[in-house]
Amino acid sequence: MRLVLIGPPGVGKGTQGRRLAGSQGWALISTGEILRTAIANETPLGREARTIIESGRLVSDGVMIGLVEERIAEPDAQSGFVLDGFPRTIPQAQALDAMLDKSGQRLNAALSLKANEEELVTRLSARRECSVCKRAYNLVNAPPKDGRHCDDHPKVELVQRADDAPETVRRRLDVYREQTEPLREYYRRQGRLREVDGQGSMDEVEKRLAQVITALQVDAGLEPV
Ligand code: AMP
């Protein structure tokens, strides 16, 4: 299956995308993670993206579309993928439809995760990640075992993403409302939108998503995993 996850920052796209792709054997393509890796490696893309990301704005459509077009052509994405963080604008969604169309493929669904803004701000301020495996933790709801280090990398102290600073979070929520929220209507018109409540624990949201995926697999005549 080919799926996109849309939703505001902090709603759990990364966590749920990782679980979903892992359980189904699909490629997880997180554009935010690709950009953060490029920043850490100081590549030309990373140098271009750094100040944009830290200010909470979006990297240009042209750069992002090129990056995703290359990534979804890689072998591991042929059996299916979950896109986390792309598309984020209408031109990106149109470009994704066009690039899939060119290779006779199509998107199965856009999964829209929702949560109220207060919960998002609270979650983002408590979010920490492992710089090695990128696993996300929440210091309040889902802390690491010792409170500070990654469970799978006990020497690695968890860090806060630069763009999770409170003033940047506000900007990212504004950008989401203005530029990304309209995608819900775009996919609704195509009959591909599936809304999922993103509130509650990670396990609860995962169960809701799994039900939607099973229904999609049945509709597509596929054997649910
Ligand atoms: P995320 O990890 O998805 O929250 O992405 C972190 C940041 O990377 C975003 O706030 C944007 O600055 C940038 N970014 C990620 N994906 C995209 C995209 N599809 N289009 C533009 N900018 C993006």
Side-chain angles (χ1 to χ4, degrees), residues 10 59 125 156 176:
V59 175
S125 64
V156 180
Y176 171 77

Short mmCIF file of all heavy atoms in Angstrom, two decimals, residues 10 59 125 156 176:
data_model
loop_
_atom_site.label_atom_id
_atom_site.label_comp_id
_atom_site.label_asym_id
_atom_site.label_seq_id
_atom_site.Cartn_x
_atom_site.Cartn_y
_atom_site.Cartn_z
N GLY A 10 3.40 17.12 16.09
CA GLY A 10 3.17 16.57 17.42
C GLY A 10 2.01 15.60 17.50
O GLY A 10 1.75 15.01 18.54
N VAL A 59 10.44 24.12 3.72
CA VAL A 59 11.43 24.07 2.65
C VAL A 59 10.65 24.13 1.33
O VAL A 59 9.48 23.73 1.27
CB VAL A 59 12.26 22.75 2.78
CG1 VAL A 59 13.21 22.59 1.62
CG2 VAL A 59 12.99 22.75 4.11
N SER A 125 6.38 20.03 23.77
CA SER A 125 7.35 20.55 24.74
C SER A 125 8.01 19.41 25.52
O SER A 125 9.11 19.56 26.02
CB SER A 125 6.69 21.56 25.68
OG SER A 125 5.72 20.90 26.43
N VAL A 156 23.26 7.10 24.94
CA VAL A 156 22.85 8.29 24.19
C VAL A 156 21.78 9.08 24.95
O VAL A 156 20.67 8.59 25.19
CB VAL A 156 22.32 7.90 22.79
CG1 VAL A 156 21.89 9.14 22.00
CG2 VAL A 156 23.38 7.11 22.03
N TYR A 176 0.97 24.90 9.47
CA TYR A 176 0.14 23.72 9.22
C TYR A 176 -1.28 24.15 8.82
O TYR A 176 -1.83 23.69 7.83
CB TYR A 176 0.08 22.81 10.47
CG TYR A 176 -0.93 21.71 10.29
CD1 TYR A 176 -0.63 20.61 9.49
CD2 TYR A 176 -2.22 21.81 10.84
CE1 TYR A 176 -1.58 19.62 9.26
CE2 TYR A 176 -3.16 20.83 10.60
CZ TYR A 176 -2.84 19.74 9.82
OH TYR A 176 -3.79 18.78 9.57
#
